Amino acid sequence: MVNGTRPRVLLALATAVFVVAWLLAAALLPDRVPLHFGADGEVDQWAGRYSALATFALVGVGLGGLLGGIAAASDRIPLGWLNTPHKDWWTATPARTAELRRRTRVEGEVLAAATLVFLAAMVLVTLRAARSADPHLDALFIAVLIGYLVFVLGWSVAVHRRRAPEPGSAPEGRGQSGDRVAGP
């Protein structure tokens, strides 16, 4: 498992990558910017330069802030709000609950960082399209999108697997399978 410091550094670096991509767009975008593309990769919505920059900033701050904020608040949100496999096991002792909260924060920070890097890539893909003679999305967009989706899917599977109870331990009043067992 990734320790608690590295994901915070990763999130800070991802935020810096997004800011640099936004600044590059601010310096290089033309006055007319393709803001949305259809399924065929062709532009279906245009915006002015400042409107596009505002949109990029709002999406970056909004998603980065939401995901990063949820991760940062993981120590304070009610346990009932956490949706995690084997919740009974994780909340059976204070030490396990603390570890669950730590893991939730760390995993949230990694997801927020990946999302900010993806959004930075989308800003750069849009910048590339806006500066081309024939603005459209190409294989680079598909590669970036698939890369992000594969990462999120893989990360989700890994997080789910890391939520399995430790072998040989079970919460009080439950057997190894998690079923209730008779007790004194």
Side-chain angles (χ1 to χ4, degrees), residues 129-141:
R131 293 178 56 87
S132 74
D134 178 27
H136 66 279
L137 293 180
D138 56 13
L140 178 61
F141 165 76

Side-chain angles (χ1 to χ4, degrees), residues 6-176:
R6 280 186 264 166
R8 286 187 187 145
V9 171
L10 186 64
L11 182 54
L13 288 173
T15 301
V17 166
F18 180 81
V19 169
V20 167
W22 188 90
L23 290 172
L24 192 60
L28 298 175
L29 276 176
D31 289 335
R32 189 170 180 233
V33 179
L35 197 57
H36 192 270
F37 302 84
D40 60 356
E42 297 302 317
V43 179
D44 63 8
Q45 183 180 351
W46 293 86
R49 170 192 175 104
Y50 297 109
S51 179
L53 288 169
T55 299
F56 297 154
L58 287 172
V59 170
V61 170
L63 278 175
L66 176 67
L67 295 173
I70 289 170
S74 66
D75 290 338
R76 296 178 298 283
I77 61 175
L79 288 173
W81 291 8
L82 288 179
N83 183 11
T84 188
H86 312 289
K87 189 183 229 176
D88 289 344
W89 187 87
W90 283 103
T91 57
T93 68
R96 288 184 200 160
T97 300
E99 178 62 10
L100 172 64
R101 288 183 181 281
R102 185 194 70 78
R103 288 183 184 201
T104 300
R105 178 185 44 78
V106 166
E107 293 155 356
E109 289 168 349
V110 170
L111 183 60
T115 300
L116 281 169
V117 169
F118 170 71
L119 292 175
M122 290 298 95
V123 168
L124 296 176
V125 164
T126 303
L127 173 61
R128 181 173 174 229
R131 293 178 56 87
S132 74
D134 178 27
H136 66 279
L137 293 180
D138 56 13
L140 178 61
F141 165 76
I142 299 298
V144 170
L145 178 62
I146 289 173
Y148 176 70
L149 293 175
V150 166
F151 174 81
V152 170
L153 178 62
W155 184 248
S156 298
V157 169
V159 165
H160 189 273
R161 287 186 175 165
R162 284 193 297 266
R163 290 294 198 275
E166 295 175 12
S169 62
E172 298 169 18
R174 297 200 180 265
Q176 289 298 321

Side-chain angles (χ1 to χ4, degrees), residues 170-183:
E172 298 169 18
R174 297 200 180 265
Q176 289 298 321
S177 68
D179 298 328
R180 288 240 175 244
V181 294

